[in-house]
Amino acid sequence: MFSLSEEGVAFVKRELNRYEDRRSAVIPALYRVQKENKGWVSPESVTYLSHLMDIPSAWIEEVLTFYTMFNKRPVGKYHVQVCCNISCSMNGGREMADHLCSTLKLKEDEVSGDGRYTISRVECLGACDKAPMMQVNDDYHEGLTNDKAVEILRGLK
Amino acid sequence: MPKCTINGKAIEVKPGTTVIQAFKAAGVEIAHYCWHPGLSVAGVCRLCMVQIEGQAKLQIGCNTLVTEGMVVNNTSEPVKEAVKWGLDFHLINHPLDCPICDQAGECGLQDQYVHFGKYDPEMAMPKQKKHKVVDLGPTIVLDTERCILCSRCVRFTDEVSKTNELGIFNRGDRSEIGTVENKPLDNNYSLNTVDICPVGALTSKDFRFRQRVWYLKEAASVCTGCSTGCNVNVYYNEEGAWRVKPVQNEKVNGYWMCDKGRDIYKFVNKEARLQTAKVGSKDQWRLLEGGQAAKDVGDSLRQVAKTEGADKIALVVTGQYTNEEYDSLLDFFNGTLAVKNVYHWVNNPEDMTGFDGILFRGDRNPNTAGLKARLEKRGLKSDWLDLEKKIKAGAYKYVVVAGPENNSVFPDLESKAKMMSAAPHLVWLTAAKSEAVDSATTATYQIPLKTFIEKDGTYTNHVGLEQKVKRGTTIVAGALTLSEAVSLMSGEELDFSLRPKPLTNLKTNFFTAKRGEL
């Protein structure tokens, strides 16, 4: 059964007090859950959150399914988001995503066998000047080539 | 009181009135899906567009308040153009297969399309495929392709039933309504979401694909499912009744009714009814005409009252009849025969005062208040426990029962029928057939009565509000109203040639047989 850490609970309570409408605190709360739940929001964590925040789980689920930045399925230890928007695509972003998948022998949005990686294609991450780029968990890696990207991923601890 | 002009018609409205309400008040048609008078304003369908003089842009009528001197119309070219395009956007992913849709004939989208449709859609892309035939719970089936995301049902579960099951999940053209983790939508008010769904997305399992709505007639009536007395329309055709929907009455039920109340059409249909009078006892029933049975019973009753005294007769009454029927019943028994032993049969004494906070009450009789008032007026106060004792002691020769019309709300029917059949003679007046009475071991008369949809009368609800019901149709031709049965008992002759013609279509089709289970 999932539950937030003590600091996590305190954080959600603080967010609830910050807004007039309890619903407003759903996004920060979900983001916190995702952080503490290995990068994804599980159905049981939605139930947990609905009890913690005292709002119906349907309201949380609505927000959760609306935003693509919340992961509804488990992700690997390193969630690699490859930008495939215009600038990155023009500079080989799509090919880079394909190359990473075939090198690491996994399909898009799936967790690799060793649980280390998940590769996803995403829309613009706002680093068009350094295209192509990818985001690994919270870190940006810019101005990549296929080999450089593989090297970075292999080099992660 | 702001004055405004709606399509050239000057009216005065209360402060705080929205433009769409002003249109309704002025009796002017205005397109809308997401707005519902009983729910909050969402403003998502963008169809109630109006042009307000002095404002450059069109406004949505549902979320704009009327101000003093406002001049509004929804007939100008820009409005027509906006509604036409708004409708085209709704139809981007909505299937245009009205002939196979269960909502056809009472569909908001279909109606609007006839008025405002761009019959030549601009959209070249294929439609989004979504989930069809989603089992949403015990009462409802959902078709997410037909849904136009007006959010009425979501707001209903948030605001009225307060159960919060439904939500709109995902986004853009992949948005769908649904429940969290496919939990069933299971509350006593779920079918209201079907009523307010402007398209064929939410359909009632009980009614979907049973009948075409344009073949059904409607009769205004009052729900007999509990003592709240919600105002309803009963939909029927020559094969019987098919469904019940609420009618707005601010004093009683607002816009809603409960799911249990919607089952009241089931016991009025032939399959559930006592169709002719029966005389005899267990396994040895002789059929005879209802009127004749009532006459025979009346003769015996009057004989007993004369020779052995009225104390030999007991009358048992349920709260399921109209005030007029109680009056004639008590006039004959209490007045003419001087019977003092009148018992009020309470079906579920434990939760007679129960109330779920919205509409549904534990007292599942439409007219308990009316009966109580009439018994009180005549000073008839017989203790129910007394009945069993006296029957056992052989104090009663005749027990006359004005029994339940709706057997399903009488959980104690079997035990009570058994208890009463210990008397030497039992007279059972009821609309419903019941195995409990069919297995009575004593000499019994069963006389068929009419249900609420087949008679005129008045019910008094839990707060004492009197509401009239009107005859809609006749389903069992041989049935009598309680008043008619009592008149015949008292020796009067009735002219049955004046009675309305019964339903003649006796065919049993697949759909009739499949009509909601009892």
Side-chain angles (χ1 to χ4, degrees):
Chain A
M1 194 59 212
F2 171 80
S3 61
L4 282 172
S5 64
E6 245 170 65
E7 300 86 71
V9 173
F11 172 79
V12 172
K13 295 255 158 88
R14 210 163 49 238
E15 289 298 314
L16 280 172
N17 285 331
R18 178 188 274 194
Y19 304 105
E20 262 176 50
D21 189 344
R22 299 179 83 74
R23 278 177 113 153
S24 305
V26 169
I27 290 181
L30 276 173
Y31 202 61
R32 182 79 193 199
V33 167
Q34 176 156 301
K35 280 238 144 136
E36 292 196 15
N37 191 41
K38 294 175 188 157
W40 74 296
V41 184
S42 59
E44 72 216 37
S45 65
V46 171
T47 315
Y48 166 81
L49 209 53
S50 104
H51 289 304
L52 179 67
M53 300 176 73
D54 191 26
I55 61 177
S57 40
W59 293 4
I60 298 175
E61 191 87 8
E62 281 181 327
V63 174
L64 176 65
T65 54
F66 186 89
Y67 292 104
T68 53
M69 277 95 149
F70 293 122
N71 299 314
K72 269 78 76 181
R73 283 191 295 175
V75 292
K77 188 177 173 196
Y78 300 106
H79 186 204
V80 183
Q81 302 178 65
V82 183
C83 175
C84 289
N85 212 292
I86 295 176
S87 307
C88 288
S89 291
M90 287 170 77
N91 283 299
R94 290 177 187 170
E95 289 76 14
M96 190 170 83
D98 291 341
H99 180 75
L100 288 178
C101 284
S102 62
T103 319
L104 297 171
K105 297 197 180 59
L106 51 82
K107 283 182 188 151
E108 240 172 75
D109 295 325
E110 277 182 8
V111 185
S112 62
D114 57 2
R116 274 172 70 82
Y117 305 109
T118 297
I119 315 273
S120 309
R121 288 175 190 235
V122 295
E123 298 305 328
C124 188
L125 292 170
C128 305
D129 56 330
K130 305 267 171 52
M133 64 81 68
M134 67 181 181
Q135 183 185 348
V136 181
N137 291 350
D138 288 343
D139 300 325
Y140 274 23
H141 298 275
E142 298 162 334
L144 299 172
T145 60
N146 286 357
D147 295 340
K148 228 169 152 181
V150 173
E151 202 179 305
I152 290 169
L153 293 189
R154 287 258 154 86
L156 292 167
K157 272 177 268 165
Chain B
M1 297 288 264
K3 292 188 184 71
C4 62
T5 313
I6 308 285
N7 283 4
K9 202 167 163 183
I11 63 160
E12 201 170 327
V13 295
K14 281 189 210 139
T17 305
T18 57
V19 171
I20 201 167
Q21 285 168 331
F23 268 78
K24 296 264 167 191
V28 179
E29 267 190 40
I30 181 164
H32 63 88
Y33 302 134
C34 70
W35 181 78
H36 187 280
L39 300 171
S40 64
V41 172
V44 294
C45 77
R46 318 306 291 183
L47 279 203
C48 57
M49 288 289 188
V50 291
Q51 191 165 38
I52 301 166
E53 229 165 69
Q55 293 191 19
K57 279 191 165 182
L58 300 180
Q59 302 292 332
I60 49 169
C62 62
N63 205 21
T64 310
L65 291 179
V66 173
T67 52
E68 181 58 45
M70 193 182 253
V71 181
V72 199
N73 78 73
N74 71 340
T75 45
S76 69
E77 271 316 308
V79 173
K80 279 185 180 166
E81 197 67 7
V83 175
K84 194 163 84 180
W85 278 100
L87 195 61
D88 210 43
F89 274 106
H90 281 297
L91 292 172
I92 286 177
N93 286 312
H94 185 93
L96 285 176
D97 53 1
C98 303
I100 63 158
C101 176
D102 195 45
Q103 187 86 358
E106 53 178 7
C107 172
L109 202 53
Q110 202 180 24
D111 293 348
Q112 305 294 350
Y113 192 64
V114 173
H115 282 296
F116 308 106
K118 261 174 65 62
Y119 288 92
D120 190 13
E122 305 274 317
M123 193 66 187
M125 301 288 283
K127 288 177 193 258
Q128 276 283 338
K129 296 270 183 286
K130 292 191 199 174
H131 296 99
K132 306 283 275 186
V133 207
V134 180
D135 188 348
L136 210 57
T139 51
I140 294 176
V141 175
L142 165 68
D143 182 333
T144 54
E145 273 186 1
R146 297 198 199 286
C147 176
I148 55 165
L149 300 168
C150 69
S151 81
R152 274 184 180 185
C153 54
V154 179
R155 280 176 284 147
F156 178 83
T157 56
D158 281 356
E159 294 162 16
V160 182
S161 71
K162 302 210 165 57
T163 45
N164 303 100
E165 290 107 333
L166 291 171
I168 296 176
F169 304 124
N170 298 319
R171 91 174 133 165
D173 57 6
R174 290 183 304 278
S175 300
E176 283 180 356
I177 59 163
T179 54
V180 178
E181 293 179 63
N182 297 323
K183 277 185 206 137
L185 172 61
D186 187 8
N187 66 61
N188 192 24
Y189 295 87
S190 63
L191 283 170
N192 287 305
T193 60
V194 175
D195 289 343
I196 57 178
C197 182
V199 291
L202 293 164
T203 45
S204 153
K205 277 187 184 171
D206 212 27
F207 181 73
R208 69 197 303 259
F209 303 122
R210 302 265 193 267
Q211 283 296 322
R212 277 308 199 180
V213 292
W214 52 86
Y215 291 132
L216 294 177
K217 297 187 187 91
E218 53 191 72
S221 193
V222 172
C223 177
T224 59
C226 79
S227 60
T228 300
C230 297
N231 291 203
V232 297
N233 267 340
V234 181
Y235 292 76
Y236 66 93
N237 65 4
E238 64 277 9
E239 288 163 24
W242 292 91
R243 67 169 176 187
V244 177
K245 279 188 170 223
V247 174
Q248 189 213 351
N249 185 341
E250 280 308 329
K251 276 191 196 146
V252 185
N253 55 315
Y255 301 86
W256 322 115
M257 74 182 289
C258 74
D259 289 2
K260 287 197 171 119
R262 287 171 203 262
D263 283 345
I264 58 167
Y265 80 89
K266 291 174 183 171
F267 68 77
V268 308
N269 284 323
K270 275 210 169 82
E271 306 92 84
R273 298 285 295 278
L274 179 64
Q275 300 201 18
T276 53
K278 291 174 173 180
V279 54
S281 63
K282 192 177 181 176
D283 301 332
Q284 288 178 322
W285 295 104
R286 186 161 60 81
L287 302 183
L288 78 167
E289 207 256 318
Q292 190 56 47
K295 277 185 195 168
D296 294 352
V297 168
D299 289 344
S300 325
L301 286 176
R302 277 175 287 145
Q303 186 68 26
V304 169
K306 206 190 242 172
T307 55
E308 299 174 52
D311 278 349
K312 285 280 174 192
I313 301 169
L315 176 65
V316 176
V317 195
T318 58
Q320 304 236 314
Y321 296 91
T322 61
N323 288 335
E324 292 76 2
E325 287 175 310
Y326 288 139
D327 284 337
S328 52
L329 183 73
L330 295 173
D331 275 345
F332 175 61
F333 278 88
N334 186 240
T336 316
L337 297 182
V339 173
K340 292 269 185 304
N341 310 306
V342 181
Y343 299 91
H344 179 192
W345 179 1
V346 179
N347 43 344
N348 43 355
E350 325 54 67
D351 55 328
M352 277 302 265
T353 50
F355 178 46
D356 71 351
I358 305 176
L359 291 171
F360 181 67
R361 279 169 205 280
D363 176 10
R364 305 218 43 199
N365 298 291
N367 204 10
T368 301
L371 174 59
K372 275 192 176 157
R374 275 157 183 78
L375 292 179
E376 216 165 275
K377 206 169 137 200
R378 288 169 189 266
L380 297 166
K381 269 191 281 182
S382 297
D383 183 14
W384 178 258
L385 296 172
D386 199 40
L387 175 67
E388 191 166 0
K389 259 185 254 161
K390 282 198 171 167
I391 288 177
K392 272 198 184 137
Y396 295 133
K397 195 166 181 190
Y398 269 88
V399 174
V400 182
V401 187
E405 176 173 294
N406 182 1
N407 278 347
S408 65
V409 299
F410 278 70
D412 58 349
L413 177 66
E414 205 175 326
S415 61
K416 294 284 156 65
K418 205 168 174 188
M419 183 267 281
M420 286 185 253
S421 73
H425 294 276
L426 181 63
V427 179
W428 198 275
L429 298 140
T430 180
K433 71 176 175 195
S434 68
E435 277 176 30
V437 185
D438 277 344
S439 56
T441 45
T442 186
T444 305
Y445 271 94
Q446 291 189 51
I447 299 176
L449 294 186
K450 287 184 168 169
T451 54
F452 69 98
I453 188 71
E454 299 164 291
K455 62 193 178 193
D456 296 324
T458 318
Y459 292 121
T460 308
N461 81 350
H462 68 110
V463 286
L465 182 74
E466 294 196 347
Q467 303 194 90
K468 281 200 162 57
V469 290
K470 277 199 172 149
R471 196 193 81 88
T473 179
T474 298
I475 291 170
V476 173
L480 308 162
T481 66
L482 192 56
S483 308
E484 283 170 349
V486 169
S487 299
L488 289 165
M489 282 183 194
S490 65
E492 268 176 50
E493 290 292 334
L494 292 179
D495 184 2
F496 284 105
S497 66
L498 295 173
R499 292 178 69 170
K501 290 241 161 52
L503 301 178
T504 49
N505 194 333
L506 291 169
K507 76 177 177 195
T508 306
N509 69 24
F510 167 78
F511 296 108
T512 309
K514 279 278 194 176
R515 181 162 46 202
E517 306 222 335
L518 288 165

